[in-house]
Amino acid sequence: DVKVTQSSRYLVKRTGEKVFLECVQDMDHENMFWYRQDPGLGLRLIYFSYDVKMKEKGDIPEGYSVSREKKERFSLILESASTNQTSMYLCASSSPPRSSYNEQFFGPGTRLTVL
Amino acid sequence: SQQGEEDPQALSIQEGENATMNCSYKTSINNLQWYRQNSGRGLVHLILIRSNEREKHSGRLRVTLDTSKKSSSLLITASRAADTASYFCATTGSWGKLQFGAGTQVVVTP
């Protein structure tokens, strides 16, 4: 059974803290993605990675960074958490886009609250 | 920016009824996907329809695609309480990136 796991389901942090969100996939996928989901806005892409040590900015990268040291792991980092980063964070992975079927597999999400 | 936009935003139906939701998008696509999200969980892929296809079925799901109108619809037939969820359409861009709409929240009451 394919699986994408995220390190925490719920997280509460204080303004200014450095926050690490971890995502691991066991499908040997090249592509990995981080989204945030807010009511009425759907999912918005923060960063994605198409290979180890490669990263690309998505639509809303400000205030975030990422790390992909191993193929199976993609980390999202909030250098200095702010209250407007309170959100649901979703990680996903997929096979390369050159395949004709690029379904994304999602983790269960991390609900982050920044106080 | 959102590529897909779902309509309606919310839908409430009785068990056994059909649920139809629509998605409009702005630019040319290679394919369009539909996902389901149960409350507070991750998204689950439902179905993918390619740009050269007009209709596709999977179990109780029927998806149509009209590239001339840049729109797609998802029909759930004979709905069940377990179909209560949010449904999202997504179009595929470069590097397999998906652009999601804001979703349609479906509530199926017994």
Side-chain angles (χ1 to χ4, degrees):
Chain A
D1 197 17
V2 296
K3 194 178 274 189
V4 179
T5 57
Q6 294 183 229
S7 50
S8 305
R9 289 284 285 125
Y10 299 94
L11 208 52
V12 180
K13 295 292 181 180
R14 298 214 172 267
T15 301
E17 279 193 79
K18 191 169 186 175
V19 182
F20 292 86
L21 302 181
E22 305 283 341
C23 175
V24 178
Q25 51 96 2
D26 66 359
M27 294 164 282
D28 202 35
H29 283 163
E30 278 80 359
N31 296 346
M32 296 188 74
F33 306 84
W34 274 107
Y35 298 89
R36 65 175 283 177
Q37 182 179 23
D38 301 287
L41 296 178
L43 278 75
R44 293 179 292 167
L45 182 64
I46 304 171
Y47 267 96
F48 69 102
S49 168
Y50 52 87
D51 202 351
V52 176
K53 296 194 186 294
M54 304 301 286
K55 60 184 179 183
E56 293 287 339
K57 293 180 180 179
D59 298 319
I60 51 164
E62 296 78 20
Y64 303 94
S65 62
V66 290
S67 172
R68 184 125 183 245
E69 295 297 317
K70 293 185 177 180
K71 189 176 185 180
E72 66 271 19
R73 188 180 297 269
F74 191 35
S75 303
L76 179 70
I77 303 154
L78 287 66
E79 295 290 341
S80 178
S82 63
T83 54
N84 63 13
Q85 292 178 309
T86 290
S87 187
M88 169 74 106
Y89 290 87
L90 292 161
C91 174
S93 70
S94 72
S95 57
R98 57 182 171 273
S99 69
S100 60
Y101 192 74
N102 60 326
E103 166 189 357
Q104 287 191 12
F105 295 85
F106 282 82
T110 295
R111 188 165 292 281
L112 173 67
T113 302
V114 182
L115 301 175
Chain B
S1 60
Q2 292 176 348
Q3 163 73 312
E5 293 195 10
E6 291 89 346
D7 169 55
Q9 290 185 334
L11 188 58
S12 185
I13 57 174
Q14 301 259 327
E15 258 190 334
E17 293 181 340
N18 295 343
T20 300
M21 60 210 86
N22 303 297
C23 169
S24 59
Y25 57 92
K26 296 171 186 171
T27 61
S28 297
I29 59 170
N30 292 322
N31 63 60
L32 185 143
Q33 303 181 40
W34 285 91
Y35 287 80
R36 184 187 73 222
Q37 184 181 35
N38 290 93
S39 180
R41 308 296 296 182
L43 278 70
V44 174
H45 182 265
L46 294 176
I47 196 165
L48 177 151
I49 186 165
R50 294 184 174 82
S51 59
N52 60 354
E53 296 176 312
R54 292 294 167 261
E55 187 171 312
K56 201 162 183 180
H57 296 254
S58 176
R60 293 184 296 111
L61 304 180
R62 174 179 165 246
V63 169
T64 63
L65 180 64
D66 186 335
T67 53
S68 67
K69 294 181 180 177
K70 291 187 168 59
S71 68
S72 173
S73 69
L74 171 66
L75 167 68
I76 305 172
T77 60
S79 62
R80 306 167 182 167
D83 295 327
T84 294
S86 293
Y87 293 82
F88 296 87
C89 68
T91 55
T92 306
S94 58
W95 295 107
K97 292 188 296 180
L98 296 180
Q99 292 274 334
F100 287 89
T104 293
Q105 196 166 10
V106 176
V107 175
V108 182
T109 53

